[in-house]
C-alpha cells in the first residue's frame, strides 16, 4: 500500500473484499486447492490486516478513488470483533470521523465511513470509541455533515444517513468531556429541535419544514432525546433558555384540538406528545424560572384535568412511552404526574405553593379515587404507578406545609387507608404494589403526622391496626419505615390505647410483636445471647458481629462512630422508643421469654450511652492521650456503672427464668393431676359399665344388686316411723325390668271435697273434663302448695 501505484492498491482492496465474497474457481489447477473464505478471514485477523489498512488511509488523503476502495475493504473487515479491536488500537474512529466532510461527489465516503463507525461502536469498546470521537475536529466534521443533510437532504437515503449521524452524536454527547458547546453543535441541535414549535429568524431553518415521513418522525424523537442528555451539562442551561426549549415542549402539553390540521398523524402526534412530556421531566428541573414564567403548573394541572375526564379519546399506545395506554389516557396521565413529581421534589417553595393555591391537592385526591373506580387487570401496572406518583406528589406538597396537610384532610386519609387494606399476597406480585405501599407509608409520614385532626381520624378508622398488620408481615424492607411512623404516632396520647388493643394471629399483642422483631434483628446482627436470651457479655451487651470485627479508629468530632451509626442502621432504637412510649411496666400478652428480652430493651439507652463512652475511652488510649486524674476517674466510673447495669439486668433475667421454670413445674404437676383424675374417672366409668352388663346378663347378680339397693334404702330411713305418717313406696310393684327402678313416689289424688269437683271454677282458673260425677261447688279459696323437688323417702 506504500507503493504509489493506484492499480496495485485497488487490486489489494479487491482481494480483501473477495475474502468475504469468494466465488468458486472456474478452472481447477492440478496440484492446488483453493483456500476457504473462513481461512482467509481468519488469516486476515491473525495478520492484523485491518490495522494495516487503517494506517494506509493516512497515505491516501488526496486520492479519493483509492480511499473509497480502502473504506470499502474496512467496511467488510469491521464485521469482525477481532478486526474492530485492532482498528480501535490504530485510532480508526477519530481518523475516519475527522474526514467525514471531505469532498466526495459520489457520497460513498460518508456512507461507508458512518457504517464503519457503527460497526466499531457495536463490536468493540464503546467507551474507547467515544473517547476517540470526543475532540473538536471530529465534532466539527459531524456538525457540518449533519447540518448539510438536515437542510439539503431530500432523498430517503439522505434522511436515514442524517439520523445515523445524529445517533452517533448522541452517543458522543454522553461524555461530559466532549466539546459539544465549543464546537457550536449544541446550539444547532437545540435550534433544530425547537424550530417547528417556536418561530426562529435563524437562516438555517428559514423555510425549513419536516414532513410526516418515518425518517423525520424518528429525527424529532432523536432530537428530544439528545436534549435530555445535553441538559445534564450545566453549561448548556443558558443555551436551552435562549432556544426556548421549555416553551417548545409545552406546546405538546395540551389536549388534542379537533378539526386542527397537524403535520403529524394522530399516532405520531401522540408519541411525540408523550416524548415531549418525558423530556420536560428531565429538563424543567434545571429551568425553574422558565417553567414558572410559562405557567408550567397551570398547564400541567389543566392537562391532568383533561386526562381525568370522560371525554371520548382513542389513544394508540404504540410507542415505548405509550405502553399500557391504548384506548385511554393513562399514558398521558402517567407522564404528566412524573413531570409534577420531578418539580415537587425540588422542594422549591414557589412551585409547591403555586400548586397548592391552584388546588393540586384536591385534584390529585380526586384523580386517585377515579383510578380506583377504573381499576382493571389489563392496566393494573400503569394504574399502580399513577397511584404511587400521586401519593409521592402529595407527600412533597404536604411535608413542610401545615395548610397543605389540612387540605389533605379526611379524604386523603381515606385513600391511604384504602391502599393499606390491600391483600398482602399482592406485595409479591411484582406489579408495583411494593412501590405503592412505600409511597403510602411516606404519605402517612408527610401528610398525616403533625396534623392532629388527620391523626385522630386515622386512629378512629383503625389506621394503627392496619400499620401493625403490615408490621406483622415481617417484611424487613417495610419494618424500619413503619416503626418510624409508630414512634411519631405515639406522641398522640390516643395512640397507646389503640396499640395495646391490637391483636394479631394467635392473639399476639403489639408488645409481643415488637419484642419478637427485636430478637430477630439481634439474631441477624449477630448479637451474643445465650439460649434463654440473656446477656452474655455485660461489658458489650449490644455489640453486633460487625462491631466486633471493626476495630475502634480515632475519628474527627464531626464523624459519627460505629456505635452512633448503629442506632440509625437497625430498628432497635425505634422499637425501644415505641415500647418506652407505651410504658414498659404495663405491656399485655408477654411470655417469660418476652420479659427476658424486655429487660434488655428497657436498658437500651443506658447500654448505648455506656458503649459510646467506652469508644471515647478507647480512642483516647489509641491516640496515646493521658486524661487528668479527675477525668480518668469519671471515665472509669462511667464504664463500671454501665457494666453494673448489665450485671443487674442479667441477675433480673436469671430470676425471671428460674421463676418461669418453677411455674412450669407447677403447671406440669397440675396437668399430671388432671390426667390422673381423668384416668380414674374412666376406670370408674368402665367398672360401672361392667356392673351394668353383669346385672343385665346374670339373674343372680341382678338379685344381689337388688338386695343391696333395698338394704341401702332401708338403712337411709329413720329407725322409728313417726305416728300418723304416710308411707310412700319407692318402687313399682310387678315391674318386669332387669335394672333397679328409679325414684318413684305414688301420691293419692286430692279428695274431691277439697276442690269442689273436677268442674268447679277455682281461683287458679283450671278447667278439666269430669272424671267423677258430682255437683259443682264454689269454694272461697284454695291454698296451693308447691310440689317438692324430691319426694320424701319416708
Amino acid at each position: 500500500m506504500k507503493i504509489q501505484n493506484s492499480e496495485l492498491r485497488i487490486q489489494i482492496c479487491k482481494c480483501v473484499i473477495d475474502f468475504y465474497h469468494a466465488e468458486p474457481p472456474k478452472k481447477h489447477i492440478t496440484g492446488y486447492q483453493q483456500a476457504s473464505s473462513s481461512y482467509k478471514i481468519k488469516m486476515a485477523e491473525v495478520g492484523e490486516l485491518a490495522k494495516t489498512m487503517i494506517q494506509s488511509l493516512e497515505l491516501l488523503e488526496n486520492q479519493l478513488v483509492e480511499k473509497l476502495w480502502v473504506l470499502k475493504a474496512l467496511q467488510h473487515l469491521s464485521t469482525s470483533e477481532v478486526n474492530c479491536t485492532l482498528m480501535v488500537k490504530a485510532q480508526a474512529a477519530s481518523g475516519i470521523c475527522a474526514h467525514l466532510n471531505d469532498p466526495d461527489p459520489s457520497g460513498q465516503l460518508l456512507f461507508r465511513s458512518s457504517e464503519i463507525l457503527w460497526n466499531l461502536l457495536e463490536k468493540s469498546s464503546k467507551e474507547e470509541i467515544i473517547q476517540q470521537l470526543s475532540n473538536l475536529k471530529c465534532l466539527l466534521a459531524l456538525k457540518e455533515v449533519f447540518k448539510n443533510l438536515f437542510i439539503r437532504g431530500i432523498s430517503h437515503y439522505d434522511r436515514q444517513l442524517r439520523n445515523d449521524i445524529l445517533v452517533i452524536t448522541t452517543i458522543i454527547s454522553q461524555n461530559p468531556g466532549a466539546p459539544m458547546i465549543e464546537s457550536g453543535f449544541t446550539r444547532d441541535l437545540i435550534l433544530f429541535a425547537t424550530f417547528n414549535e417556536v418561530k426562529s429568524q435563524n437562516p438555517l431553518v428559514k423555510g425549513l419544514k419536516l414532513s410526516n415521513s418515518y425518517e423525520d418522525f424518528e429525527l424529532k424523537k432523536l432530537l428530544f432525546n439528545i436534549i435530555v442528555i445535553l441538559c445534564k451539562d450545566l453549561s448548556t442551561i443558558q443555551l436551552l433558555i435562549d432556544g426556548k426549549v421549555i416553551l417548545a415542549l409545552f406546546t405538546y402539553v395540551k389536549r388534542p384540538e379537533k378539526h386542527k390540521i397537524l403535520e403529524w398523524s394522530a399516532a405520531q402526534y401522540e408519541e411525540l406528545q408523550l416524548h415531549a412530556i418525558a423530556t420536560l421531566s428531565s429538563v424543567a428541573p434545571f429551568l425553574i424560572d422558565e417553567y414558572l414564567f410559562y405557567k408550567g403548573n397551570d398547564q400541567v394541572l389543566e392537562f391532568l384535568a383533561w386526562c381525568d375526564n370522560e371525554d371520548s379519546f382513542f389513544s394508540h399506545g404504540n410507542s415505548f412511552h405509550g405502553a399500557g395506554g391504548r384506548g385511554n389516557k393513562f399514558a398521558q396521565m402517567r407522564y404528566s404526574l412524573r413531570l409534577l413529581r420531578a418539580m415537587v421534589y425540588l422542594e422549591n417553595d414557589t412551585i409547591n405553593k403555586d400548586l397548592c393555591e391552584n388546588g393540586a391537592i384536591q385534584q390529585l385526591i380526586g384523580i386517585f379515587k377515579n383510578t380506583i373506580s377504573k381499576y382493571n387487570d389489563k392496566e393494573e401496572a400503569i394504574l399502580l404507578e399513577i397511584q404511587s406518583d400521586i401519593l409521592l406528589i402529595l407527600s412533597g406538597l404536604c411535608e413542610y406545609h401545615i395548610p397543605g396537610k389540612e387540605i389533605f384532610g379526611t379524604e386523603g386519609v381515606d385513600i391511604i387507608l384504602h391502599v393499606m387494606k390491600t391483600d398482602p399476597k399482592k406485595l409479591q406480585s411484582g406489579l408495583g404494589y411494593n412501590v405503592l405501599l412505600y409511597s403510602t407509608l411516606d404519605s402517612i409520614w408527610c401528610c398525616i403526622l403533625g396534623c392532629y385532626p388527620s391523626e385522630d381520624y386515622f386512629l378512629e378508622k383503625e389506621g394503627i391496626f392496619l400499620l401493625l398488620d403490615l408490621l406483622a408481615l415481617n417484611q424487613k424492607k417495610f419494618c424500619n419505615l413503619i416503626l418510624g411512623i409508630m414512634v411519631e404516632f405515639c406522641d398522640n396520647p390516643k395512640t397507646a390505647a389503640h396499640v395495646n388493643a391490637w391483636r394479631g394471629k394467635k392473639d399476639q399483642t403489639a408488645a409481643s410483636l415488637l419484642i419478637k422483631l427485636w430478637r430477630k434483628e439481634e439474631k441477624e446482627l449477630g448479637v451474643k445471647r445465650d439460649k434463654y436470651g440473656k446477656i452474655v457479655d455485660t461489658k458489650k451487651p449490644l455489640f453486633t458481629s460487625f462491631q466486633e470485627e471493626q476495630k475502634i479508629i480515632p475519628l474527627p468530632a464531626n464523624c459519627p462512630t460505629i456505635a452512633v451509626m448503629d442506632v440509625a442502621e437497625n430498628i432497635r432504637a425505634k422499637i425501644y422508643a415505641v415500647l418506652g412510649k407505651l410504658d414498659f411496666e404495663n405491656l399485655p400478652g408477654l411470655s417469660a421469654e418476652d420479659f427476658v428480652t424486655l429487660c434488655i430493651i428497657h436498658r437500651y439507652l443506658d447500654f448505648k450511652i455506656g458503649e459510646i463512652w467506652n469508644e471515647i475511652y478507647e480512642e483516647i488510649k489509641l491516640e496515646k492521650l493521658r486524661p487528668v486524674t479527675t477525668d480518668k476517674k469519671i471515665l472509669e466510673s462511667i464504664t463500671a456503672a454501665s457494666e453494673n447495669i448489665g450485671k443487674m439486668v442479667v441477675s433480673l433475667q436469671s430470676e425471671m427464668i428460674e421463676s418461669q421454670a418453677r411455674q412450669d413445674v407447677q403447671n406440669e404437676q397440675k396437668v399430671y393431676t388432671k390426667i390422673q383424675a381423668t384416668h380414674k374417672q374412666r376406670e370408674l366409668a368402665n367398672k360401672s359399665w361392667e356392673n351394668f352388663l353383669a346385672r343385665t346378663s346374670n339373674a343372680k347378680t341382678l338379685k344381689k344388686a337388688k338386695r343391696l339397693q333395698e338394704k341401702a334404702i332401708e338403712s337411709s330411713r329413720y329407725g322409728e316411723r313417726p305416728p300418723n305418717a304416710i308411707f310412700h313406696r319407692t318402687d313399682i310393684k310387678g315391674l318386669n325390668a332387669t335394672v333397679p327402678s328409679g325414684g318413684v313416689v305414688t301420691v293419692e289424688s286430692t279428695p274431691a271435697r277439697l276442690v269442689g269437683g273436677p268442674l268447679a271454677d277455682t281461683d287458679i282458673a283450671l278447667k278439666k273434663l269430669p272424671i267423677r260425677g258430682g255437683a259443682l261447688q264454689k269454694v272461697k279459696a284454695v291454698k296451693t302448695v308447691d310440689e317438692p323437688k324430691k319426694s320424701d323417702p319416708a
Side-chain angles (χ1 to χ4, degrees):
M1 294 298 292
K2 289 182 179 179
I3 298 172
Q4 295 183 0
N5 186 308
S6 178
E7 292 182 6
L8 175 61
R9 290 169 173 169
I10 292 171
Q11 189 59 44
I12 290 171
C13 293
K14 285 181 179 180
C15 291
V16 174
I17 294 167
D18 284 342
F19 291 174
Y20 297 87
H21 302 284
E23 296 179 1
K26 297 177 181 178
K27 294 181 181 180
H28 179 69
I29 302 173
T30 306
Y32 293 92
Q33 182 178 355
Q34 185 183 16
S36 64
S37 297
S38 59
Y39 175 78
K40 295 176 184 176
I41 293 169
K42 184 68 177 175
M43 289 299 103
E45 292 174 354
V46 173
E48 299 185 354
L49 179 60
K51 185 177 180 181
T52 304
M53 297 300 284
I54 288 293
Q55 292 169 346
S56 67
L57 274 176
E58 299 174 2
L59 307 172
L60 308 172
E61 287 189 6
N62 300 319
Q63 297 165 6
L64 181 60
V65 177
E66 289 94 325
K67 184 188 287 187
L68 291 176
W69 275 103
V70 172
L71 288 173
K72 187 176 181 181
L74 285 169
Q75 190 178 350
H76 286 82
L77 289 168
S78 64
T79 57
S80 161
E81 290 185 7
V82 175
N83 288 334
C84 283
T85 304
L86 293 170
M87 291 165 69
V88 169
K89 290 179 180 178
Q91 301 293 312
S94 57
I96 292 171
C97 184
H99 297 282
L100 279 177
N101 205 32
D102 287 358
D104 173 27
S106 67
Q108 289 186 52
L109 186 145
L110 180 57
F111 165 70
R112 298 193 187 285
S113 298
S114 63
E115 183 72 21
I116 293 168
L117 288 175
W118 264 113
N119 289 339
L120 289 173
L121 284 167
E122 289 179 353
K123 299 182 183 297
S124 63
S125 171
K126 188 176 179 179
E127 292 75 17
E128 181 65 28
I129 299 298
I130 292 173
Q131 200 62 39
Q132 288 186 23
L133 296 176
S134 297
N135 58 72
L136 194 60
K137 190 175 182 181
C138 289
L139 285 171
L140 285 171
L142 285 167
K143 170 191 167 184
E144 293 303 320
V145 168
F146 179 76
K147 191 189 302 183
N148 290 333
L149 290 172
F150 193 95
I151 297 170
R152 300 182 183 87
I154 299 172
S155 66
H156 175 75
Y157 163 76
D158 288 341
R159 290 171 177 169
Q160 280 188 328
L161 192 55
R162 172 198 64 191
N163 291 355
D164 289 346
I165 296 297
L166 183 55
V167 173
I168 293 171
T169 304
T170 303
I171 294 171
I172 297 170
S173 64
Q174 294 174 2
N175 179 15
M180 293 289 294
I181 297 174
E182 294 83 344
S183 65
F185 207 173
T186 297
R187 185 179 293 276
D188 288 347
L189 288 170
I190 291 171
L191 174 66
F192 292 141
T194 59
F195 81 94
N196 231 26
E197 294 79 21
V198 180
K199 291 183 180 180
S200 174
Q201 301 301 321
N202 195 305
L204 282 176
V205 293
K206 191 174 182 179
L208 192 62
K209 190 175 182 180
L210 297 177
S211 67
N212 62 353
S213 65
Y214 175 77
E215 288 76 22
D216 284 353
F217 175 61
E218 286 296 314
L219 170 70
K220 193 68 178 177
K221 293 194 294 182
L222 288 169
L223 288 169
F224 283 163
N225 186 54
I226 200 168
I227 284 176
V228 173
I229 296 170
L230 292 174
C231 75
K232 294 175 182 178
D233 182 2
L234 297 180
S235 306
T236 313
I237 299 302
Q238 188 58 46
L239 295 176
L240 294 172
I241 294 171
D242 296 340
K244 298 182 179 178
V245 172
I246 293 292
L247 178 60
L249 293 172
F250 264 119
T251 59
Y252 292 93
V253 190
K254 294 178 181 177
R255 60 187 302 170
E257 297 180 16
K258 296 180 180 178
H259 312 299
K260 183 179 179 181
I261 300 173
L262 298 171
E263 58 267 28
W264 308 106
S265 67
Q268 287 176 333
Y269 181 79
E270 180 192 341
E271 189 169 346
L272 287 176
Q273 182 185 57
L274 295 171
H275 205 145
I277 300 171
T279 304
L280 267 172
S281 301
S282 300
V283 177
F286 295 102
L287 305 171
I288 296 174
D289 293 336
E290 294 291 303
Y291 178 85
L292 291 170
F293 179 77
Y294 294 115
K295 297 183 177 179
N297 286 336
D298 294 349
Q299 294 193 60
V300 177
L301 291 176
E302 185 180 349
F303 188 67
L304 270 175
W306 171 77
C307 293
D308 191 42
N309 65 26
E310 300 296 333
D311 290 354
S312 58
F313 174 76
F314 182 80
S315 61
H316 296 266
N318 297 323
S319 65
F320 166 78
H321 295 94
R326 187 172 183 81
N328 54 53
K329 293 177 264 189
F330 289 154
Q332 285 83 352
M333 184 182 291
R334 171 169 60 175
Y335 281 96
S336 301
L337 289 169
R338 283 187 183 179
L339 172 57
L340 269 186
R341 187 186 68 188
M343 300 311 296
V344 167
Y345 267 59
L346 294 173
E347 296 184 0
N348 183 286
D349 291 338
T350 307
I351 292 174
N352 291 358
K353 186 178 179 181
D354 183 53
L355 281 169
C356 291
E357 290 175 353
N358 287 329
I361 294 175
Q362 299 96 317
Q363 184 176 345
L364 290 170
I365 291 172
I367 292 172
F368 193 102
K369 289 181 177 178
N370 290 337
T371 58
I372 294 171
S373 61
K374 294 175 184 177
Y375 176 82
N376 61 72
D377 292 338
K378 290 183 180 179
E379 285 88 23
E380 186 175 12
I382 191 172
L383 283 171
L384 290 172
E385 183 181 340
I386 287 170
Q387 291 175 348
S388 300
D389 283 342
I390 288 173
L391 291 174
L392 288 172
I393 293 167
L394 290 170
S395 298
L397 291 175
C398 298
E399 187 172 6
Y400 305 111
H401 193 231
I402 296 298
K405 294 184 180 185
E406 292 172 354
I407 296 170
F408 185 79
T410 56
E411 288 189 5
V413 175
D414 285 336
I415 64 174
I416 286 175
L417 293 170
H418 172 80
V419 177
M420 293 177 69
K421 292 175 183 177
T422 303
D423 184 359
K425 294 179 182 177
K426 291 183 178 180
L427 295 175
Q428 310 299 332
S429 64
L431 293 171
Y433 281 99
N434 274 337
V435 178
L436 179 59
L437 186 55
Y438 272 121
S439 305
T440 305
L441 295 172
D442 187 52
S443 60
I444 293 172
W445 194 294
C446 300
C447 303
I448 296 177
L449 288 168
C451 181
Y452 297 120
S454 296
E455 285 186 13
D456 291 345
Y457 184 75
F458 184 81
L459 292 170
E460 181 185 334
K461 293 294 181 179
E462 299 182 350
I464 287 293
F465 288 2
L466 295 173
L467 273 176
L468 288 167
D469 288 340
L470 289 172
L471 190 62
L473 294 176
N474 207 7
Q475 295 198 13
K476 191 172 179 63
K477 52 192 172 185
F478 298 125
C479 286
N480 207 351
L481 189 52
I482 293 171
L483 286 168
I485 294 169
M486 292 286 295
V487 171
E488 296 296 326
F489 250 113
C490 285
D491 288 337
N492 189 319
K494 299 177 183 178
T495 304
H498 287 262
V499 175
N500 288 329
W502 177 82
R503 292 294 180 271
K505 292 182 179 178
K506 299 181 180 178
D507 206 32
Q508 185 182 34
T509 62
S512 176
L513 172 62
L514 292 170
I515 293 170
K516 181 181 177 183
L517 289 173
W518 175 284
R519 282 199 294 267
K520 182 185 176 187
E521 184 76 3
E522 287 201 328
K523 186 176 181 181
E524 291 175 357
L525 293 172
V527 180
K528 291 180 180 179
R529 299 282 182 260
D530 66 7
K531 63 179 181 178
Y532 300 109
K534 289 166 53 181
I535 295 171
V536 174
D537 187 352
T538 54
K539 291 183 179 179
K540 302 173 182 178
L542 299 178
F543 253 48
T544 64
S545 57
F546 176 75
Q547 287 176 281
E548 292 283 358
E549 293 170 3
Q550 295 293 320
K551 294 181 179 179
I552 295 174
I553 303 171
L555 295 170
N558 60 346
C559 292
T561 62
I562 297 173
V564 176
M565 289 298 295
D566 174 73
V567 176
E569 289 177 349
N570 58 68
I571 61 174
R572 291 190 293 178
K574 292 184 176 68
I575 292 173
Y576 165 76
V578 174
L579 290 174
K581 291 182 178 182
L582 293 177
D583 186 2
F584 285 106
E585 303 299 327
N586 299 306
L587 299 175
L590 299 184
S591 64
E593 185 183 11
D594 292 337
F595 278 113
V596 169
T597 307
L598 188 63
C599 292
I600 302 171
I601 301 174
H602 193 188
R603 290 292 185 171
Y604 172 79
L605 187 59
D606 296 326
F607 290 147
K608 183 55 68 176
I609 291 170
E611 191 177 307
I612 292 169
W613 276 109
N614 185 60
E615 275 191 340
I616 294 170
Y617 197 16
E618 292 298 324
E619 285 186 20
I620 289 172
K621 289 179 181 178
L622 288 171
E623 291 177 352
K624 296 181 180 178
L625 298 175
R626 189 171 61 84
V628 296
T629 307
T630 307
D631 288 347
K632 186 177 181 181
K633 287 181 179 179
I634 291 171
L635 282 172
E636 289 173 352
S637 62
I638 290 172
T639 307
S642 177
E643 187 177 353
N644 289 337
I645 292 172
K647 291 177 180 178
M648 182 185 69
V649 170
V650 170
S651 175
L652 183 59
Q653 288 177 320
S654 299
E655 288 179 14
M656 288 182 175
I657 292 168
E658 290 171 5
S659 176
Q660 183 61 33
R662 288 194 297 270
Q663 186 64 39
D664 289 343
V665 171
Q666 292 177 4
N667 292 339
E668 187 177 353
Q669 190 62 43
K670 288 179 182 178
V671 171
Y672 281 130
T673 304
K674 190 175 179 180
I675 292 171
Q676 287 176 349
T678 303
H679 279 285
K680 188 174 182 179
Q681 190 64 28
R682 285 180 183 173
E683 290 175 2
L684 292 173
N686 291 336
K687 190 174 181 180
S688 176
W689 177 248
E690 290 172 0
N691 292 335
F692 175 74
L693 289 179
R695 292 198 304 271
T696 55
S697 60
N698 191 327
K700 291 181 179 179
T701 306
L702 178 60
K703 290 176 182 180
K704 184 178 179 181
K706 181 71 173 176
R707 288 193 299 270
L708 290 172
Q709 184 186 38
E710 290 174 350
K711 186 178 179 181
I713 291 170
E714 287 296 330
S715 63
S716 67
R717 289 174 177 163
Y718 292 108
E720 296 180 1
R721 188 178 301 171
N724 301 323
I726 300 173
F727 176 74
H728 298 283
R729 295 188 61 83
T730 59
D731 57 350
I732 302 171
K733 291 184 177 181
L735 183 64
N736 295 320
T738 59
V739 293
S741 58
V744 179
V745 178
T746 304
V747 179
E748 295 181 358
S749 299
T750 305
R753 59 186 176 80
L754 295 178
V755 295
L759 297 178
D761 291 333
T762 64
D763 291 341
I764 58 174
L766 295 175
K767 293 182 180 180
K768 297 184 180 178
L769 292 175
I771 300 174
R772 300 179 181 175
L776 295 174
Q777 297 180 14
K778 180 74 174 175
V779 296
K780 291 182 180 179
V782 176
K783 185 179 180 181
T784 58
V785 180
D786 293 336
E787 292 182 8
K789 294 182 180 179
K790 292 185 180 180
S791 59
D792 187 356

